[in-house]
Amino acid sequence: HPRWAKWAGQWVERIDRLFTDNGQRRQAYFEQQAQSLAVLEPEVRRQVQEMKQTLEGELVGGQLGQEPRKVLESMRRHWPGLTVFVDHPAVPMDNNAAERANRPVAVARKNYYGSGAVWSGELACACFTILATLRQQGICPRRYLQAYLEACARAGGRVPVCLEAFLPWKWSAEQRANWKASEHPP
């Protein structure tokens, strides 16, 4: 609503500053830059504290309309979840990476389940789970699936007797190194 555009703009500016500073803090955290982290850590905490004070002040002030009040009340209710990143720098402020990872599934959903066959959706889910696990472990999906399917062929078209040979979390460090992707997985 135009009446609340200035108010909303101020909140967007606060959040943008926080995203910028927290992004720098995360970079310093992952690159183990202790000096930068020592400066950015208290700044991010200060900004979050200031936002909380502004939030509470605006709710108590009684000057807000119904729409902004609903926004701030929701923010207050979800505050612990919205600020997890403060104490855990490895956690991003948003879930954009997760959203991008799920995008192919959402976009192609009709292809996987469009026929109305439940098995098709279940198969797609299982395949995505396997591929996500392989990606998380840094394992080349092509090499892994080829080895697994060859083991199935040797077993007469059945599941291999020793499945543990295909469970990355059960592998030794040496086995894991042999499966690591030498190139970015497709």
Side-chain angles (χ1 to χ4, degrees), residues 6-20 47 51:
K6 182 179 176 187
W7 173 85
Q10 291 170 340
W11 274 100
V12 168
E13 286 176 18
R14 286 183 196 106
I15 293 167
D16 282 348
R17 270 194 313 275
L18 183 57
F19 260 94
T20 299
Q47 287 178 31
M51 287 175 83

Side-chain angles (χ1 to χ4, degrees), residues 70-114:
K70 283 173 61 176
V71 169
L72 293 183
E73 286 173 348
S74 174
M75 198 169 159
R76 179 196 272 166
R77 271 193 317 278
H78 296 98
W79 192 256
L82 291 171
T83 58
V84 166
F85 70 93
V86 174
D87 293 325
H88 306 282
V91 176
M93 283 179 63
D94 58 34
N95 67 346
N96 289 346
E99 294 280 340
R100 280 191 301 277
N102 286 329
R103 191 174 192 307
V105 177
V107 168
R109 174 178 44 226
K110 290 181 182 177
N111 293 335
Y112 305 132
Y113 191 65

